[in-house]
Amino acid sequence: MMTYAPRMTDPWPADAVRDRLIGDVYVYQRRGGHRASTDDVITAWHACRGWARPPRRYLDLGCGIGSVLLTVAHRLRPEASLGIEAQAESVMLARRSLAELPEEAPPVALVEGDFRHHDFGAQRFDLITGSPPYFPVTAGVLPDDPQRRACRFELRGGVEAYCDVAARLLAAGGRFHLVFQSTWTERVEQAGRAAGLHLVDRCDMQSRSDRWDPFLTVYEFRHEPAPLRRSELAIRDVRGAFTPEYEQLRAELGWR
């Protein structure tokens, strides 16, 4: 198994903490930076559903601190898992997490770089996941913190770039799972069509069971057309507690 260590020239973030992610896998994240979130939970859960046998090769585009990458790799145990991330501090944190994977963990590799320009060679992947930033750079005031800025704003392309690269790297019969804000569903569907992908599944997530409009949606795209499956799930109930459905989702995944 390949292991990684942070470059000694990089300053280690003062607010970095080590948190249990799934099973005996831990993730390093900053208290005031990009953190594992509901977006990661639902993306990993959606990607892990329905596999009769594990995918051989798995890729997480823009993997950030590695929360989706490590969860899916631990849960599905592909022969090879690869994450690619351009934001330097997130790469440093993810490398530390990978360096501490237990010996029995499936092989996980990490590449630092912009996936839009990275040469993947002849590699094709049975499963690809992506959690794009949700906002164009013109949508508001950009955070001063580089890590938070990169995970929220489209500094290196948006959902269109994710779909274009996924379409190019997806193996025949492969699956591409993407999370995005539900209000931008038309944009996501158009990005998939423009890349030559077919939307075959979408799960709309309500923030609360008494708020009918979804706030996040997970989409599954494939090269091959199929009838669209749709589902919905509420994260919290009217009291603000996790719903039984979301608790079951987390239990199925083994998330913390």
Side-chain angles (χ1 to χ4, degrees), residues 140 210 240:
D210 58 341

Side-chain angles (χ1 to χ4, degrees), residues 166-182:
R168 176 165 53 87
L169 297 177
L170 199 62
R175 297 163 39 172
F176 171 44
H177 295 261
L178 176 88
V179 65
F180 213 69
Q181 288 189 331
S182 304

Side-chain angles (χ1 to χ4, degrees), residues 5-243:
R7 293 187 296 264
M8 298 309 294
T9 55
D10 292 339
W12 186 249
D15 62 345
V17 293
R18 180 178 184 265
D19 293 320
R20 180 174 176 268
L21 185 69
I22 177 174
D24 52 1
V25 174
Y26 288 79
V27 65
Y28 281 90
Q29 55 189 348
R30 292 176 47 216
R31 290 191 177 92
H34 176 47
R35 298 180 59 80
S37 64
T38 299
D39 311 46
D40 301 326
V41 176
I42 62 177
T43 304
W45 166 75
H46 205 256
C48 288
R49 300 185 308 166
W51 290 93
R53 62 187 64 176
R56 286 189 60 248
R57 301 184 65 83
Y58 162 52
L59 170 66
D60 189 22
L61 295 171
C63 67
I65 59 173
S67 43
V68 174
L69 171 67
L70 291 170
T71 300
V72 173
H74 178 84
R75 183 66 177 170
L76 291 181
R77 310 188 85 78
E79 292 180 17
S81 296
L82 173 66
I84 181 167
E85 172 58 40
Q87 205 283 323
E89 192 166 59
S90 293
V91 170
M92 179 170 58
L93 292 164
R95 279 182 170 144
R96 176 70 66 86
S97 301
L98 265 62
E100 295 185 7
L101 285 175
E103 287 297 323
E104 65 274 13
V108 182
L110 177 65
V111 171
E112 181 173 1
D114 187 330
F115 64 74
R116 296 174 301 170
H117 311 302
H118 182 71
D119 182 6
F120 290 90
Q123 293 184 92
R124 294 298 179 267
F125 300 88
D126 307 297
L127 173 61
I128 301 176
T129 54
S131 306
Y134 296 146
F135 305 110
V137 293
T138 56
V141 178
L142 274 62
D144 292 332
D145 184 278
Q147 191 195 37
R148 293 173 62 192
R149 185 165 63 244
C151 74
R152 295 181 183 181
F153 288 87
E154 298 171 350
L155 304 180
R156 301 179 179 89
V159 64
E160 293 81 8
Y162 280 74
C163 288
D164 287 344
V165 174
R168 176 165 53 87
L169 297 177
L170 199 62
R175 297 163 39 172
F176 171 44
H177 295 261
L178 176 88
V179 65
F180 213 69
Q181 288 189 331
S182 304
T183 189
W184 296 107
T185 285
E186 184 176 345
R187 178 186 173 190
V188 174
E189 293 181 352
Q190 174 57 34
R193 286 193 297 269
L197 296 171
H198 297 274
L199 179 63
V200 300
D201 190 290
R202 59 174 288 183
C203 184
D204 295 321
M205 301 287 176
Q206 301 163 243
S207 59
R208 283 169 51 117
S209 57
D210 58 341
R211 297 175 183 169
W212 302 111
D213 291 336
F215 78 114
L216 288 175
T217 298
V218 191
Y219 307 85
E220 179 188 338
F221 291 95
R222 301 192 186 196
H223 283 306
E224 303 80 13
L228 177 62
R229 302 185 301 270
R230 294 192 61 171
S231 57
E232 58 184 29
L233 187 147
I235 303 296
R236 297 185 181 273
D237 60 24
V238 295
R239 301 168 300 164
F242 286 151
T243 62

